[in-house]
Amino acid sequence: MTSHPVILAFRSSVRCWRHRALLRVALEASDVRCRRRYSTRIRAGVSGMEEILSRVVAPLPSYETRDKSPPPPETNSLEFMYFYKSLNKEDKLSFLTKLSQDFGVDHKSVSELALKLLDTQIRDLATILLAEDRLRYTLTPRYKQLFSHICRVEGGVKFLVDLRADVLEIISSKASDSPHIRDLNGTLKSLLSEWFSVGLLRLERITWQSPCEILQKISQYEAVHPVRNWTDLKRRVGPYRRCYAFTHAAMPGEPLVVLHVALTEDISDNIQGIVREFATLDSDEDVNKITSAIFYSISSTQAGLQGVELGNVLIKRVVRELQSEFPHMAQFSSLSPIPGFSTWLQGLLSQCRKEGRAFDLLSEEEWKEIQHATDSTPGTPTVDSLRKLLSSNEWMRSERLCRVLEPVLMRLCAWYLYGEKRRGYALNPVANFHLQNGATMWRLNWCADTSPRGVANSCGIMVNYRYFLNETSKNSALYLQNKVITASDQVLGFVSQFQKISDQSCLILCK
């Protein structure tokens, strides 16, 4: 609890604008006290958590006084923040569980008002609307008020973003299956979606002249193609490259989502020419050579903003920026990794071997070619040899193996992207992201990422999701509403081959 001298300092500082310096000192003193108080692990345990929550989480004002009640002191928000930061992972779970259970919605009042609302249905419209508004207000969790006040203090928004990251980790790790925790997550997501709406975001182009701190964070946050060194980073923000980020006034110097773009003549079919080519590091851009924009990396930097629409908005804003800079630019496409393909493929091969359905995946001729190419020992199932072969990166060094495996893996990858679904939508998260944006699944590229990471994740295959600007709205609606994937003839051709082999296998088994 804040000491009396600090409270007196607040009161005296408010009386006169000349005492603003005193207010600043008082806040700093309160910060120091909070830090000292919660710098070590909490000894009071559950009782200590209850005590601080009872003190800082104010009761929901009555419906009649909801717009007249004075806000709680800023020190409540600061005390909550410092207390939470002092907890270890286990205690944070206990603290959030208690916060969500004991300081959420007053279920008794909600039930009573719901019954009253039913009783008003035979009355006039004004009475019904008033009853609905009362019920809506009572459905507000007490902790939502606290979060709304925390966002107003310095560092408060960032604190809540990190708090939601902790909540998401609790849910994903199944450390708790409490519905109260899920409701807490929903409340935080709703608030963050409002605070990080499009109109409050600022689009920044990152260049080599940007502050060093920003450049360092851009390097650290790169999740798709890791930055190797400063020269590599300089290349990615230099000529024939663009790097854009969304920032927010409440989180200065902190990029929220970062998009890397390559400016090229044609739509790129491999990542090596983008991230490993340094020939143009110090050259001047030739506008006549720039007709395509390739989105080769997009990274969200804040785990707590998961589910808050930022990436798709960033791509649309960047397209407008590039059209303004290069009016003649006609082609927009991603060059995307395919995370999860290798894991899915290994699982599929294992399942097919177990069920004796290996011919569902490859033709008899293809199995023979793989058997010869892998020099399988007599008695060893070829499917086991294939699984073992794909579990390492060695096969990529053999021209013979690459030639034999290319049609097989391209066909299986096309099916993984196009045919494997989760709730009717693309199983692959990157595919789902671009398809929601209205892109077309345009081209699969063999040996597009020959790095160890690229081979391990997707057998070196990458995919272009192409943005035909006059079709994106229609494609997005088809996908979101009817779960229809718009794909090119190349992709559909591979999918057709996959289905044909599966059908032939079924006919053989039936005979």
Side-chain angles (χ1 to χ4, degrees), residues 369-403:
E369 286 189 13
I370 289 176
Q371 188 174 23
H372 291 311
T374 57
D375 297 323
S376 299
T377 56
T380 302
T382 308
V383 68
D384 286 347
S385 299
L386 180 59
R387 286 183 61 204
K388 183 178 180 181
L389 180 69
L390 295 176
S391 65
S392 72
N393 298 345
E394 295 301 317
W395 64 271
M396 184 62 75
R397 301 177 183 178
S398 167
E399 290 186 13
R400 180 187 179 191
L401 286 173
C402 284
R403 177 183 55 78

Short mmCIF file of all heavy atoms in Angstrom, two decimals, residues 369-403:
data_model
loop_
_atom_site.label_atom_id
_atom_site.label_comp_id
_atom_site.label_asym_id
_atom_site.label_seq_id
_atom_site.Cartn_x
_atom_site.Cartn_y
_atom_site.Cartn_z
N GLU A 369 11.78 -46.85 -58.42
CA GLU A 369 12.86 -45.88 -58.62
C GLU A 369 13.49 -45.49 -57.28
O GLU A 369 14.71 -45.36 -57.17
CB GLU A 369 12.31 -44.63 -59.33
CG GLU A 369 12.02 -44.83 -60.80
CD GLU A 369 11.69 -43.51 -61.49
OE1 GLU A 369 11.93 -42.45 -60.88
OE2 GLU A 369 11.19 -43.54 -62.62
N ILE A 370 12.66 -45.29 -56.28
CA ILE A 370 13.18 -44.92 -54.97
C ILE A 370 13.97 -46.07 -54.35
O ILE A 370 15.02 -45.86 -53.72
CB ILE A 370 12.02 -44.50 -54.04
CG1 ILE A 370 11.46 -43.15 -54.50
CG2 ILE A 370 12.47 -44.41 -52.58
CD1 ILE A 370 10.26 -42.67 -53.74
N GLN A 371 13.49 -47.29 -54.58
CA GLN A 371 14.21 -48.46 -54.06
C GLN A 371 15.61 -48.54 -54.67
O GLN A 371 16.59 -48.79 -53.97
CB GLN A 371 13.42 -49.73 -54.37
CG GLN A 371 14.01 -50.98 -53.71
CD GLN A 371 13.13 -52.19 -53.92
OE1 GLN A 371 12.34 -52.25 -54.86
NE2 GLN A 371 13.26 -53.18 -53.05
N HIS A 372 15.71 -48.28 -55.97
CA HIS A 372 17.02 -48.32 -56.62
C HIS A 372 17.88 -47.14 -56.18
O HIS A 372 19.08 -47.28 -55.94
CB HIS A 372 16.85 -48.31 -58.14
CG HIS A 372 16.26 -49.56 -58.70
ND1 HIS A 372 16.71 -50.83 -58.37
CD2 HIS A 372 15.22 -49.76 -59.57
CE1 HIS A 372 15.99 -51.74 -59.00
NE2 HIS A 372 15.07 -51.13 -59.74
N ALA A 373 17.25 -45.97 -56.07
CA ALA A 373 18.02 -44.77 -55.73
C ALA A 373 18.54 -44.80 -54.30
O ALA A 373 19.61 -44.25 -54.00
CB ALA A 373 17.15 -43.53 -55.93
N THR A 374 17.81 -45.47 -53.41
CA THR A 374 18.22 -45.51 -52.00
C THR A 374 19.02 -46.76 -51.67
O THR A 374 19.49 -46.91 -50.52
CB THR A 374 16.99 -45.46 -51.08
OG1 THR A 374 16.10 -46.54 -51.41
CG2 THR A 374 16.25 -44.15 -51.24
N ASP A 375 19.16 -47.65 -52.66
CA ASP A 375 19.89 -48.91 -52.43
C ASP A 375 19.36 -49.63 -51.21
O ASP A 375 20.10 -50.03 -50.30
CB ASP A 375 21.40 -48.64 -52.27
CG ASP A 375 22.01 -48.04 -53.52
OD1 ASP A 375 21.59 -48.45 -54.63
OD2 ASP A 375 22.88 -47.16 -53.40
N SER A 376 18.03 -49.75 -51.15
CA SER A 376 17.39 -50.39 -50.00
C SER A 376 17.86 -51.84 -49.87
O SER A 376 17.96 -52.57 -50.86
CB SER A 376 15.86 -50.39 -50.17
OG SER A 376 15.39 -49.06 -50.24
N THR A 377 18.16 -52.23 -48.65
CA THR A 377 18.60 -53.60 -48.41
C THR A 377 17.42 -54.55 -48.56
O THR A 377 16.28 -54.18 -48.28
CB THR A 377 19.18 -53.74 -46.99
OG1 THR A 377 18.19 -53.31 -46.05
CG2 THR A 377 20.42 -52.88 -46.84
N PRO A 378 17.67 -55.77 -49.03
CA PRO A 378 16.58 -56.73 -49.21
C PRO A 378 15.80 -56.94 -47.91
O PRO A 378 16.38 -57.07 -46.84
CB PRO A 378 17.31 -58.01 -49.64
CG PRO A 378 18.59 -57.53 -50.22
CD PRO A 378 18.97 -56.31 -49.45
N GLY A 379 14.51 -56.95 -48.03
CA GLY A 379 13.66 -57.17 -46.86
C GLY A 379 13.25 -55.91 -46.14
O GLY A 379 12.34 -55.93 -45.32
N THR A 380 13.91 -54.79 -46.44
CA THR A 380 13.55 -53.53 -45.79
C THR A 380 12.45 -52.84 -46.61
O THR A 380 12.64 -52.60 -47.80
CB THR A 380 14.76 -52.57 -45.71
OG1 THR A 380 15.79 -53.22 -44.98
CG2 THR A 380 14.37 -51.28 -44.99
N PRO A 381 11.30 -52.57 -46.01
CA PRO A 381 10.24 -51.88 -46.75
C PRO A 381 10.74 -50.56 -47.32
O PRO A 381 11.42 -49.80 -46.65
CB PRO A 381 9.16 -51.66 -45.69
CG PRO A 381 9.42 -52.68 -44.63
CD PRO A 381 10.91 -52.85 -44.62
N THR A 382 10.42 -50.31 -48.60
CA THR A 382 10.89 -49.08 -49.25
C THR A 382 10.38 -47.84 -48.53
O THR A 382 11.05 -46.81 -48.50
CB THR A 382 10.44 -49.06 -50.72
OG1 THR A 382 10.81 -50.29 -51.34
CG2 THR A 382 11.08 -47.90 -51.46
N VAL A 383 9.18 -47.94 -47.95
CA VAL A 383 8.63 -46.79 -47.26
C VAL A 383 9.50 -46.40 -46.07
O VAL A 383 9.65 -45.22 -45.75
CB VAL A 383 7.16 -47.06 -46.82
CG1 VAL A 383 7.09 -48.12 -45.74
CG2 VAL A 383 6.50 -45.77 -46.32
N ASP A 384 10.11 -47.39 -45.41
CA ASP A 384 11.02 -47.09 -44.29
C ASP A 384 12.28 -46.40 -44.80
O ASP A 384 12.81 -45.48 -44.16
CB ASP A 384 11.39 -48.37 -43.55
CG ASP A 384 10.25 -48.89 -42.69
OD1 ASP A 384 9.28 -48.12 -42.48
OD2 ASP A 384 10.33 -50.04 -42.22
N SER A 385 12.76 -46.86 -45.94
CA SER A 385 13.95 -46.23 -46.53
C SER A 385 13.66 -44.78 -46.90
O SER A 385 14.50 -43.89 -46.70
CB SER A 385 14.38 -47.01 -47.78
OG SER A 385 14.72 -48.34 -47.45
N LEU A 386 12.46 -44.53 -47.42
CA LEU A 386 12.08 -43.17 -47.79
C LEU A 386 11.97 -42.28 -46.56
O LEU A 386 12.43 -41.14 -46.57
CB LEU A 386 10.76 -43.19 -48.56
CG LEU A 386 10.23 -41.83 -49.03
CD1 LEU A 386 11.24 -41.14 -49.94
CD2 LEU A 386 8.89 -42.00 -49.75
N ARG A 387 11.35 -42.80 -45.50
CA ARG A 387 11.23 -42.02 -44.26
C ARG A 387 12.62 -41.67 -43.70
O ARG A 387 12.87 -40.55 -43.29
CB ARG A 387 10.45 -42.80 -43.22
CG ARG A 387 8.95 -42.88 -43.47
CD ARG A 387 8.27 -43.61 -42.33
NE ARG A 387 8.49 -42.89 -41.08
CZ ARG A 387 8.44 -43.45 -39.88
NH1 ARG A 387 8.23 -44.76 -39.76
NH2 ARG A 387 8.61 -42.74 -38.79
N LYS A 388 13.49 -42.65 -43.69
CA LYS A 388 14.85 -42.41 -43.18
C LYS A 388 15.59 -41.42 -44.04
O LYS A 388 16.30 -40.53 -43.54
CB LYS A 388 15.61 -43.75 -43.11
CG LYS A 388 16.99 -43.61 -42.51
CD LYS A 388 17.68 -44.97 -42.41
CE LYS A 388 19.08 -44.84 -41.82
NZ LYS A 388 19.77 -46.16 -41.74
N LEU A 389 15.41 -41.54 -45.35
CA LEU A 389 16.08 -40.64 -46.29
C LEU A 389 15.65 -39.19 -46.07
O LEU A 389 16.48 -38.27 -46.01
CB LEU A 389 15.76 -41.07 -47.72
CG LEU A 389 16.38 -40.24 -48.85
CD1 LEU A 389 17.88 -40.45 -48.88
CD2 LEU A 389 15.76 -40.63 -50.18
N LEU A 390 14.34 -38.97 -45.89
CA LEU A 390 13.81 -37.62 -45.75
C LEU A 390 14.04 -37.02 -44.37
O LEU A 390 13.85 -35.83 -44.17
CB LEU A 390 12.31 -37.61 -46.06
CG LEU A 390 11.92 -37.98 -47.50
CD1 LEU A 390 10.41 -38.02 -47.64
CD2 LEU A 390 12.53 -36.97 -48.49
N SER A 391 14.46 -37.86 -43.42
CA SER A 391 14.70 -37.36 -42.06
C SER A 391 16.02 -36.61 -41.94
O SER A 391 16.29 -35.97 -40.93
CB SER A 391 14.67 -38.51 -41.05
OG SER A 391 15.74 -39.41 -41.29
N SER A 392 16.85 -36.69 -42.99
CA SER A 392 18.11 -35.94 -43.00
C SER A 392 18.16 -35.06 -44.25
O SER A 392 17.30 -35.15 -45.12
CB SER A 392 19.31 -36.88 -42.97
OG SER A 392 19.45 -37.52 -44.23
N ASN A 393 19.18 -34.22 -44.31
CA ASN A 393 19.32 -33.33 -45.46
C ASN A 393 20.25 -33.88 -46.54
O ASN A 393 20.50 -33.21 -47.54
CB ASN A 393 19.86 -31.97 -44.99
CG ASN A 393 18.92 -31.27 -44.03
OD1 ASN A 393 17.76 -31.66 -43.93
ND2 ASN A 393 19.41 -30.26 -43.34
N GLU A 394 20.76 -35.09 -46.34
CA GLU A 394 21.78 -35.62 -47.24
C GLU A 394 21.26 -35.83 -48.66
O GLU A 394 21.99 -35.66 -49.63
CB GLU A 394 22.31 -36.95 -46.68
CG GLU A 394 23.06 -36.82 -45.35
CD GLU A 394 24.24 -35.88 -45.45
OE1 GLU A 394 24.98 -35.97 -46.45
OE2 GLU A 394 24.43 -35.05 -44.54
N TRP A 395 19.99 -36.19 -48.82
CA TRP A 395 19.47 -36.49 -50.15
C TRP A 395 19.53 -35.28 -51.08
O TRP A 395 19.64 -35.44 -52.30
CB TRP A 395 18.03 -36.99 -50.04
CG TRP A 395 17.05 -35.98 -49.49
CD1 TRP A 395 16.74 -35.77 -48.20
CD2 TRP A 395 16.29 -35.04 -50.25
NE1 TRP A 395 15.82 -34.75 -48.07
CE2 TRP A 395 15.52 -34.29 -49.32
CE3 TRP A 395 16.17 -34.75 -51.61
CZ2 TRP A 395 14.65 -33.28 -49.73
CZ3 TRP A 395 15.30 -33.75 -52.01
CH2 TRP A 395 14.56 -33.02 -51.07
N MET A 396 19.49 -34.07 -50.50
CA MET A 396 19.51 -32.86 -51.32
C MET A 396 20.84 -32.71 -52.08
O MET A 396 20.91 -32.00 -53.09
CB MET A 396 19.27 -31.65 -50.42
CG MET A 396 19.17 -30.31 -51.14
SD MET A 396 17.81 -30.19 -52.31
CE MET A 396 16.42 -29.98 -51.20
N ARG A 397 21.89 -33.38 -51.61
CA ARG A 397 23.20 -33.28 -52.26
C ARG A 397 23.35 -34.24 -53.45
O ARG A 397 24.35 -34.19 -54.16
CB ARG A 397 24.30 -33.57 -51.24
CG ARG A 397 24.27 -32.62 -50.05
CD ARG A 397 25.32 -32.98 -49.03
NE ARG A 397 25.25 -32.13 -47.85
CZ ARG A 397 26.02 -32.24 -46.77
NH1 ARG A 397 26.97 -33.19 -46.75
NH2 ARG A 397 25.87 -31.43 -45.75
N SER A 398 22.37 -35.10 -53.64
CA SER A 398 22.43 -36.08 -54.73
C SER A 398 21.51 -35.66 -55.87
O SER A 398 20.29 -35.54 -55.68
CB SER A 398 22.03 -37.47 -54.21
OG SER A 398 21.80 -38.35 -55.28
N GLU A 399 22.08 -35.44 -57.06
CA GLU A 399 21.26 -35.06 -58.21
C GLU A 399 20.27 -36.16 -58.57
O GLU A 399 19.12 -35.89 -58.94
CB GLU A 399 22.16 -34.76 -59.42
CG GLU A 399 22.98 -33.48 -59.27
CD GLU A 399 23.75 -33.16 -60.53
OE1 GLU A 399 23.45 -33.78 -61.58
OE2 GLU A 399 24.63 -32.29 -60.48
N ARG A 400 20.71 -37.38 -58.41
CA ARG A 400 19.84 -38.52 -58.76
C ARG A 400 18.63 -38.56 -57.83
O ARG A 400 17.48 -38.71 -58.28
CB ARG A 400 20.64 -39.81 -58.64
CG ARG A 400 19.82 -41.05 -59.00
CD ARG A 400 20.62 -42.31 -58.71
NE ARG A 400 19.85 -43.52 -59.00
CZ ARG A 400 20.23 -44.73 -58.65
NH1 ARG A 400 21.39 -44.90 -57.98
NH2 ARG A 400 19.48 -45.78 -58.96
N LEU A 401 18.87 -38.42 -56.53
CA LEU A 401 17.76 -38.44 -55.57
C LEU A 401 16.83 -37.26 -55.77
O LEU A 401 15.60 -37.40 -55.67
CB LEU A 401 18.31 -38.47 -54.13
CG LEU A 401 18.91 -39.80 -53.67
CD1 LEU A 401 19.56 -39.63 -52.30
CD2 LEU A 401 17.84 -40.90 -53.61
N CYS A 402 17.39 -36.10 -56.04
CA CYS A 402 16.56 -34.91 -56.27
C CYS A 402 15.66 -35.12 -57.49
O CYS A 402 14.48 -34.74 -57.47
CB CYS A 402 17.44 -33.68 -56.47
SG CYS A 402 18.15 -33.03 -54.93
N ARG A 403 16.23 -35.72 -58.52
CA ARG A 403 15.45 -35.96 -59.74
C ARG A 403 14.31 -36.95 -59.48
O ARG A 403 13.18 -36.76 -59.93
CB ARG A 403 16.37 -36.49 -60.85
CG ARG A 403 15.65 -36.83 -62.14
CD ARG A 403 16.62 -37.41 -63.17
NE ARG A 403 17.33 -38.55 -62.67
CZ ARG A 403 16.82 -39.79 -62.57
NH1 ARG A 403 15.56 -40.00 -62.94
NH2 ARG A 403 17.54 -40.78 -62.11
#
